[in-house]
Every structure is written in structure tokens, then in C-alpha cells.
Amino acid sequence: MDQSVTDNTEKSRFEIQEDGELAGFAEYHRSGDEIAFIHTEIDPRFEGRGLGSRLARAALDTAREQQLAVLPYCPFIRGWITKHPEYADLVPASHRARFGL
């Protein structure tokens, strides 16, 4: 199965596709040097394939590449960072307690 993640800036969301079909997205709001993740959704037809994790990793890797501070308001993104503490540094130290990190 062919999977890809793209940043759809027009819709302010990272999208994951599988075999050319939209399987899910992570919505964000970007302001200056911050990116706030607000909602992540995987289509039920695609659940259980690790697409949410791949989407989160790609979105956070992009934030790191662009030197953006991450504000994980989305429970899925916040939970993913908790499980992958090597990404916690993306969240400003002054905000980590607020997000339970």
C-alpha cells in the first residue's frame, strides 16, 4: 500500500493518503514560529493500520525542520508526543506542564 503525508496549507492540515485516497488529517493553526495542532482524524475505514502515528510523526518532523514551536492542543498529537518523548522538545518548556509533558 502506498502511503504519503502532505501539508495542505490551503486547508491548514497535514493529510495522509493511502493508495491515493484521503485516509486522515491533522488540522493546525500556524502563527509566526508556532504551530498549534487542534484536531486529528483517521477515517474509520483506515483505522488500525498505524496511519495516525505516521501522520503525527510526519507533521512533527516538518515542524522540527521548519523550527516551529509545537502546541499540542489535539489529544491525539499530545498523546503521541507522550509516547515518543524525543519529540517533547518541540513543545516550549514554558508550555509543557500545561500539556502534561
Side-chain angles (χ1 to χ4, degrees):
M1 298 200 182
D2 182 36
Q3 299 172 347
S4 64
V5 177
T6 56
D7 182 2
N8 184 337
T9 57
E10 288 183 15
K11 292 189 175 182
S12 296
R13 66 187 195 180
F14 286 89
E15 298 177 340
I16 188 162
Q17 294 194 3
E18 185 172 271
D19 294 330
E21 188 174 353
L22 181 64
F25 56 86
E27 292 180 329
Y28 62 81
H29 175 73
R30 188 169 170 178
S31 178
D33 63 350
E34 292 183 337
I35 185 166
F37 288 97
I38 53 176
H39 178 71
T40 301
E41 189 173 315
I42 298 294
D43 186 302
R45 297 175 297 132
F46 294 92
E47 288 179 353
R49 300 182 195 177
L51 296 177
S53 185
R54 179 155 184 208
L55 176 61
R57 182 180 306 276
L60 293 170
D61 284 346
T62 299
R64 186 180 303 283
E65 289 166 10
Q66 295 179 4
Q67 299 180 328
L68 299 173
V70 171
L71 303 176
Y73 292 102
C74 168
F76 181 82
I77 297 292
R78 187 170 53 251
W80 195 90
I81 292 171
T82 300
K83 293 176 186 172
H84 299 87
E86 66 273 20
Y87 285 84
D89 68 302
L90 293 172
V91 180
S94 60
H95 290 23
R96 289 182 195 151
R98 173 185 191 183
F99 294 111
L101 300 172

